[in-house]
Amino acid sequence: MHTVYGMTALLETTNLTVSFGDRAGWFRPAREVLAVRSVSLALQAGEVLAVVGESGSGKTTLARALLGLVPIAAGEVRYDGCDTATMTAPQALAMRRSVQMVFQDPFGSLDPRLPVGAIIAEPLDIHRIGNPASRRARVAELMGLVGLPADAAGRYPHQFSGGQRQRIAFARALAPSPRVIIADEPLSALDVSIQSQMLNMAAELRARLGLAYLIISHDLAAVHHIADRVATMYLGRIVEVSDVDALFTRPAHPYTAALLAAVPRIGAGKWVPGAALGGDIPSPLAPPTGCAFHPRCPAASSLCATATPDMRAIRAGHDVACHHPLGTA
Amino acid sequence: MTEAAVSVWQLRWRRLARDRVALGALSVLVLLYVLCFSAAWIELWLDVTGVDTDLMSRFDPIDARHWLGSDEAGRDEFTRILRGGQISLSIGLFAALGSSFVGTVIGAMAGYFRGRVDMVLMRFTDFMLAMPALPVLIILAAIDLTKLGFSQDFVRSGAAGYWRIVLIVTLLGWTTVARLVRAATLSLVEREFVLAARAQGASSLRILWVHVLPNAVTPIIVATTLRMGGVILTESALSFLGVGIQPPSTSWGSMLTNAQELMASNPLLAVYPGAAILLAVIAINFVGDGLQSAFDPRADPH
Amino acid sequence: MGRFLLGRITGAGIVLLLKSFVIFALIGLMPGDPLDLMMNANPETTPEQMAHLRAMYGVDLPITQRYWTWLVAALQGDFGYSRIQHRPVLDIIIPALGNTLILTGAAFVLSTTLAVTLGTIAALKRGTWIDRIINLFAFAGISVPSFWLGLLMIYLFAVRLGWLPAGGMPRPEQGYGGMLAHLAMPVMTLVIVETGGLARYARAAMIEVLSQDYIRTARAKGLTDRRMLVRHALRNALIPVLTLVALQLGGLFSGAALTEAMFAWRGMGRLILEAILGNDYNLALVCLMFVTATILIANICADIAYTWLDPRISLGKRRR
Ligand SMILES: Nc1ncnc2c1ncn2[C@@H]1O[C@H](COP(=O)(O)OP(=O)(O)O)[C@@H](O)[C@H]1O
Ligand code: SF4
Ligand SMILES: [Mg+2]
């Protein structure tokens, strides 16, 4: 039911690469950070795909590249089968309408100078959906949908709590009736009690509106209940993609396993290679050779230090980029 | 929640209203503007004139009609001050608004488009900043407009003299606002709410107009206010040197040129216009200072 | 560092060149041209003589060509003659520079000292009536037209009281006393006008430093030696103040123009005003170029001072 081969994915990347660079200065050479390296990933209509990984692994950059908010160095992004690089302006606008984003920071993503009603109505304004009266009605409807009080429209973002602000951001994303919502760590700034409320709301809206989600998180536990599939990201690369159940019960990549081990509720009592993750994520300015994970990997061999592993399927719907995937040898 | 249910502007206004100095200065300023622009009615009421000469009543002393006496040409000094204020105060307003407009456009473009645009615009700003201001203003004020193809009649008209001053003071005064707006824009375009708008496909114009400028409005307002004071001082200096407002028009600065010659015999005639300038500019500066602290984000409850 | 300086100096040189052209063009737009003025001075000039003069002075050539001629001469050290004073421009400028340095130098030292003192007192006594009075004086200084202040002083000290000369330069035989008497009013004017803004700036810098953690800790620990505390804070507060001061040095030669004119002090500022208002084009042009060059040099110095005093900022990245 998940990855249906041969069918066009809703949103898809092939070998997507994003690089941040600056020119050489007087005292140092030019630097280049490959924040996203050759990522191929597909999101099907109606599914929930989670991308997990430590902070700095390139998740935010990947999400922004999907929306064309950062320049793409190589590879492509396709929406409904169309390459975004060659889209016509109306096609691009239609995509921007259908693919909505919820940002990580509920304090930074809402314009402090605009009343909440105007913030939620902004996509309707930009895409010229409806007239002023219908927009007002739509805003009221959306506020009800995400559980905001009816008088919220006339107030300003600073008058709301973090959870309510994220509801505002969610309402804005829902406004133009999108098909996909990309949410970049939508819960990480919220209290745990509010996180579960928000998750329930997101799950309910997904069922009602037939939405697809791309949820980004550094916390596996947070996405466990809502995701259909999970992609693990490390230093700019996707290293494992799998159904959520397979991933949680039989992680094949040592990095995924380590992430799981760090989650008490899930990892406890199961077999985990080594302990939880030691050390820090290396600098993306000077990534390790071969498999970028090898300096921290308990299963690393000499091969791992020289050869970069390719992504390959170890079973249907379970791909991994590792020379020595767990549970196979 | 009731306390929080007010807009940013209401909060700011409350803070300003608690600042007695700023509020006092604002009242003085408003009163000055109202008085100056009611000069014609005040003349009718007092039965005096600040415009026409009356050689029978030169140097009249202070009395019920001539609140500040009369000048060397028999014009009523009080209403003449008001008439001079019409010019000085309105030039202050227009040139400050003009400078802010130019500075905002240039600063916003530099900060938004960055790269080459930014570099060219900022070099241009540096270029303007390194001008010795007063001498260049004098040259600009003295330029013979007929050499630029304007007609004699136009060049001699009062309106041309007035707008010329507004224009040149605007041209040399926008750099501060440009730098402030550029700095604000550079940091605003990195904020996520701007990214959110870009993700929607908002145009550059919309982003600048809806998201960037309203968030940069605080430094713009403060700088515009303070600039008004600077403009009034500049205009008075130019007029005092004889290259600003020309007779028969009059401004506080040009009144001082005449009064200077009569200093020994009628020193008070030199006191009034200068005191008017000082009063207006100090009031403006106190208002600007009050706005600055009332708008200070560090005072905002988050 | 070396490359940074080289870059800045090249940039400043380009700005100076551009500016000389702009000022040259603007001055060309001022009323009358040199020949009209000559003709007015000598009504007997025949049309033939006129034509000869026009050709000689190149008045009818396009502006770019006239500028080029001027520039080539100037680069060879020939800055031309003053129309009114009939002397080489440099002979006029050099004594004026000396006079301006005396006046603005004195005012500068006094106003900086006064501003730092007042600013520090206001910061330490924040919120008290002392703070408010200093603030009021600062605002008055910022808001007063300097020429009006000069007028009032002349009336009071020269006309009414007769204590000081109304203006002009001291004669050599008057000695130091004469110098002081002539300097008193213009220096006072400049100090009043310049101290206000700087004092408010110093106050803000001092408050900023005083609120920093280590000072608060020192205070909380009962560091009651006020003198030491103030000295410590002052050193840090001086960084931004000195940068502003360095920037203001750019106005050293032209900033006092109105005051010099009011008190007939034979300095650069007054020379510039006279040259412009008296259509002495060449003199005005050279003076303005000189003043612009000083501003540009002062800006570079301010950048260096800032970097040198504050190690957190690295050269090459311009402050925003
Ligand atoms: N605008 C940028 N300029 C330069 N480097 C960037 C920029 N944005 C992100 N990076 C770098 O790219 C890498 C990935 O960052 P990010 O996508 O934010 O990771 P994540 O969201 O997984 O924490 C980091 O090393 C980060 O420093
Ligand atoms: S390829 Fe080698 S180093 Fe990389 S994850 Fe697999 S085993 Fe570890
Ligand atoms: Mg991130």
Side-chain angles (χ1 to χ4, degrees):
Chain A
M1 92 174 225
H2 300 306
T3 315
V4 186
Y5 294 98
M7 222 183 84
T8 321
L10 192 53
L11 194 57
E12 191 177 11
T13 70
T14 312
N15 298 327
L16 178 69
T17 300
V18 178
S19 123
F20 295 112
D22 53 4
R23 276 179 298 164
W26 278 325
F27 304 109
R28 43 161 199 77
R31 283 183 299 202
E32 194 187 29
V33 177
L34 286 172
V36 171
R37 293 163 189 253
S38 199
V39 164
S40 300
L41 204 59
L43 178 74
Q44 307 298 331
E47 85 165 328
V48 179
L49 172 63
V51 177
V52 299
E54 284 164 291
S55 158
S57 53
K59 308 178 299 291
T60 297
T61 308
L62 172 62
R64 291 184 178 181
L66 288 173
L67 281 162
L69 294 177
V70 291
I72 292 172
E76 56 187 51
V77 174
R78 281 187 306 280
Y79 173 70
D80 242 355
C82 286
D83 184 355
T84 52
T86 56
M87 272 184 179
T88 61
Q91 275 178 319
L93 208 60
M95 169 180 169
R96 292 192 176 285
R97 177 179 166 169
S98 302
V99 184
Q100 289 291 318
M101 178 124 181
V102 174
F103 290 86
Q104 177 169 6
D105 173 12
F107 289 96
S109 66
L110 307 179
D111 188 337
R113 285 278 180 281
L114 289 182
V116 167
I119 291 174
I120 298 177
E122 180 161 42
L124 305 176
D125 290 343
I126 291 172
H127 297 289
R128 305 214 168 80
I129 301 168
N131 54 39
S134 74
R135 285 175 200 168
R136 262 196 304 279
R138 175 80 174 136
V139 167
E141 179 196 342
L142 288 162
M143 290 194 317
L145 215 53
V146 299
L148 282 168
D151 67 342
R155 282 151 53 192
Y156 288 82
H158 74 269
Q159 296 162 356
F160 294 88
S161 66
Q164 281 176 311
R165 285 167 151 251
Q166 211 54 310
R167 285 176 199 268
I168 297 168
F170 210 75
R172 168 176 62 187
L174 291 173
S177 312
R179 296 166 73 189
V180 184
I181 289 185
I182 300 177
D184 184 2
E185 311 223 14
L187 307 177
S188 64
L190 307 181
D191 291 344
V192 180
S193 59
I194 297 168
Q195 286 189 6
S196 62
Q197 284 175 24
M198 294 289 291
L199 272 176
N200 291 341
M201 181 186 86
E204 188 199 316
L205 287 173
R206 172 203 178 193
R208 251 167 75 184
L209 306 173
L211 290 166
Y213 290 136
L214 184 84
I215 296 186
I216 284 169
S217 177
H218 63 265
D219 179 2
L220 267 172
V223 297
H224 188 198
H225 298 291
I226 190 167
D228 300 319
R229 284 192 307 141
V230 179
T232 316
M233 196 163 182
Y234 188 74
L235 268 188
R237 288 184 196 275
I238 299 289
V239 294
E240 183 168 12
V241 187
S242 164
D243 295 343
V244 65
D245 294 331
L247 190 105
F248 275 83
T249 51
R250 280 170 295 167
H253 197 283
Y255 178 61
T256 314
L259 285 179
L260 281 172
V263 180
R265 266 175 300 164
I266 303 162
K270 294 216 175 81
W271 175 82
V272 249
L277 217 43
D280 286 327
I281 192 164
S283 162
L285 278 168
T289 53
C291 171
F293 188 55
H294 84 258
R296 300 166 84 190
C297 181
S301 67
S302 55
L303 175 66
C304 301
T306 50
T308 309
D310 287 326
M311 195 71 141
R312 61 197 164 92
I314 49 170
R315 58 181 77 87
H318 194 160
D319 297 352
V320 63
C322 174
H323 294 304
H324 316 292
L326 304 171
T328 51
Chain B
M1 199 92 269
T2 46
E3 173 57 30
V6 287
S7 77
V8 180
W9 289 102
Q10 282 168 306
L11 280 174
R12 292 174 158 192
W13 170 247
R14 279 187 204 166
R15 275 204 297 272
L16 190 65
R18 273 200 298 270
D19 183 346
R20 272 174 308 171
V21 177
L23 217 56
L26 187 63
S27 319
V28 168
L29 200 58
V30 170
L31 189 70
L32 263 179
Y33 269 87
V34 170
L35 272 179
C36 287
F37 286 91
S38 324
W41 292 290
I42 295 176
E43 283 178 350
L44 279 180
W45 173 54
L46 290 174
D47 186 29
V48 294
T49 166
V51 183
D52 301 324
T53 54
D54 175 5
L55 296 182
M56 301 305 291
S57 55
R58 300 173 67 213
F59 302 120
D60 274 0
I62 294 175
D63 61 28
R65 266 181 71 218
H66 298 302
W67 290 5
L68 297 177
S70 69
D71 72 0
E72 76 280 4
R75 297 169 292 214
D76 175 59
E77 181 72 6
F78 178 63
T79 49
R80 192 161 172 72
I81 293 267
L82 297 186
R83 296 222 170 237
Q86 291 181 357
I87 299 222
S88 294
L89 291 176
S90 64
I91 285 186
L93 190 63
F94 289 140
L97 288 177
S99 307
S100 292
F101 178 76
V102 175
T104 301
V105 171
I106 290 183
M109 290 212 316
Y112 186 80
F113 294 108
R114 293 185 272 188
R116 287 245 167 78
V117 180
D118 185 29
M119 211 198 68
V120 169
L121 289 176
M122 283 303 108
R123 284 293 88 79
F124 181 52
T125 310
D126 289 347
F127 179 83
M128 297 298 292
L129 266 179
M131 291 267 191
L134 188 64
V136 171
L137 279 168
I138 295 174
I139 295 177
L140 287 173
I143 280 180
D144 181 0
L145 291 178
T146 55
K147 288 194 180 178
L148 289 173
F150 290 97
S151 75
Q152 283 281 350
D153 290 344
F154 171 75
V155 172
R156 296 253 165 84
S157 66
Y162 179 93
W163 289 109
R164 173 212 284 258
I165 299 295
V166 172
L167 189 71
I168 64 179
V169 177
T170 296
L171 282 183
L172 283 162
W174 53 265
T175 47
T176 313
V177 173
R179 294 184 150 219
L180 287 171
V181 172
R182 172 179 175 273
T185 307
L186 275 175
S187 75
L188 282 167
V189 294
E190 300 287 330
R191 298 273 294 274
E192 282 192 342
F193 62 81
V194 171
L195 271 185
R198 281 213 284 144
Q200 296 290 351
S203 64
S204 297
L205 206 62
R206 184 189 164 93
I207 289 174
L208 280 171
W209 187 249
V210 176
H211 297 293
V212 173
L213 289 183
N215 281 289
V217 83
T218 301
I220 298 178
I221 290 179
V222 174
T224 309
T225 311
L226 296 175
R227 180 84 200 116
M228 260 174 77
V231 171
I232 292 176
L233 285 177
T234 307
E235 181 275 325
S236 70
L238 291 176
S239 297
F240 177 71
L241 290 171
V243 292
I245 294 299
Q246 307 291 340
S249 294
T250 186
S251 77
W252 290 337
S254 66
M255 288 175 77
L256 278 171
T257 315
N258 297 337
Q260 185 184 19
E261 335 243 286
L262 307 163
M263 200 75 204
S265 53
N266 286 73
L268 279 179
L269 288 183
V271 171
Y272 302 134
I277 299 173
L278 176 60
L279 184 67
V281 177
I282 207 169
I284 289 169
N285 283 335
F286 271 118
V287 171
D289 192 50
L291 287 176
Q292 188 142 45
S293 35
F295 286 5
D296 188 347
R298 277 172 293 186
D300 264 333
H302 202 113
Chain C
M1 178 78 192
R3 288 187 68 167
F4 163 78
L5 262 184
L6 202 69
R8 288 301 306 271
I9 291 171
T10 322
I14 294 171
V15 167
L16 197 61
L17 208 62
L18 278 175
K19 200 151 291 185
S20 70
F21 178 72
V22 170
I23 294 177
F24 191 91
L26 285 178
I27 285 182
L29 286 171
M30 284 177 62
D33 64 40
L35 290 182
D36 290 343
L37 293 164
M38 275 186 206
M39 202 169 63
N40 291 345
N42 180 8
E44 257 134 69
T45 326
T46 63
E48 291 83 66
Q49 282 173 320
M50 262 317 283
H52 179 68
L53 282 173
R54 293 190 87 84
M56 198 176 92
Y57 278 87
V59 180
D60 298 325
L61 293 174
I63 175 102
T64 44
Q65 257 183 47
R66 275 184 288 150
Y67 172 69
W68 183 248
T69 314
W70 177 86
L71 184 66
V72 169
L75 287 179
Q76 289 164 357
D78 174 10
F79 290 100
Y81 275 77
S82 154
R83 187 184 65 79
I84 294 177
Q85 303 197 25
H86 303 292
R87 283 195 295 155
V89 162
L90 280 185
D91 291 0
I92 303 172
I93 289 183
I94 287 166
L97 281 180
N99 290 337
T100 291
L101 273 182
I102 295 172
L103 173 61
T104 50
F108 198 71
V109 171
L110 278 178
S111 69
T112 308
T113 319
L114 195 61
V116 171
T117 314
L118 289 179
T120 308
I121 295 175
L124 291 174
K125 303 268 174 197
R126 183 140 79 121
T128 65
W129 60 270
I130 298 180
D131 183 20
R132 283 197 206 104
I133 288 190
I134 291 176
N135 197 37
L136 184 66
F137 273 108
F139 267 101
I142 298 169
S143 311
V144 74
S146 62
F147 57 94
W148 181 64
L149 193 61
L151 267 182
L152 294 188
M153 275 200 229
I154 291 174
Y155 178 73
L156 186 65
F157 294 118
V159 179
R160 287 307 290 260
L161 300 172
W163 291 353
L164 296 168
M169 304 299 297
R171 286 188 306 280
E173 68 270 19
Q174 289 174 316
Y176 286 115
M179 181 57 100
L180 280 183
H182 281 86
L183 271 175
M185 283 201 287
V187 167
M188 231 189 322
T189 307
L190 286 176
V191 167
I192 292 177
V193 172
E194 283 169 6
T195 303
L198 206 53
R200 279 176 54 76
Y201 198 75
R203 174 184 181 272
M206 193 70 190
I207 286 175
E208 178 88 32
V209 171
L210 284 177
S211 70
Q212 269 160 17
D213 285 343
Y214 64 98
I215 299 272
R216 277 214 303 259
T217 325
R219 277 191 158 175
K221 275 192 193 146
L223 182 57
T224 43
D225 186 352
R226 240 184 131 69
R227 213 177 295 157
M228 206 180 106
L229 186 72
V230 169
R231 199 180 306 148
H232 195 64
L234 199 57
R235 199 181 312 138
N236 289 286
L238 273 179
I239 294 175
V241 175
L242 284 183
T243 313
L244 189 71
V245 166
L247 271 174
Q248 286 187 342
L249 274 176
L252 202 60
F253 291 113
S254 67
L258 273 175
T259 310
E260 288 182 359
M262 289 308 300
F263 294 101
W265 185 266
R266 301 198 169 280
M268 245 346 234
R270 182 178 120 115
L271 188 63
I272 295 176
L273 293 196
E274 272 181 3
I276 296 174
L277 295 171
N279 290 319
D280 198 341
Y281 305 106
N282 201 42
L283 183 58
L285 185 59
V286 177
C287 288
L288 285 175
M289 291 326 300
F290 185 85
V291 168
T292 306
T294 347
I295 296 178
L296 292 170
I297 292 170
N299 286 353
I300 297 179
C301 291
D303 269 11
I304 294 173
Y306 198 71
T307 318
W308 182 55
L309 287 169
D310 189 348
R312 282 167 304 183
I313 293 156
S314 75
L315 280 178
K317 275 207 159 69
R318 273 185 71 88
R319 273 170 298 128
R320 297 227 152 107

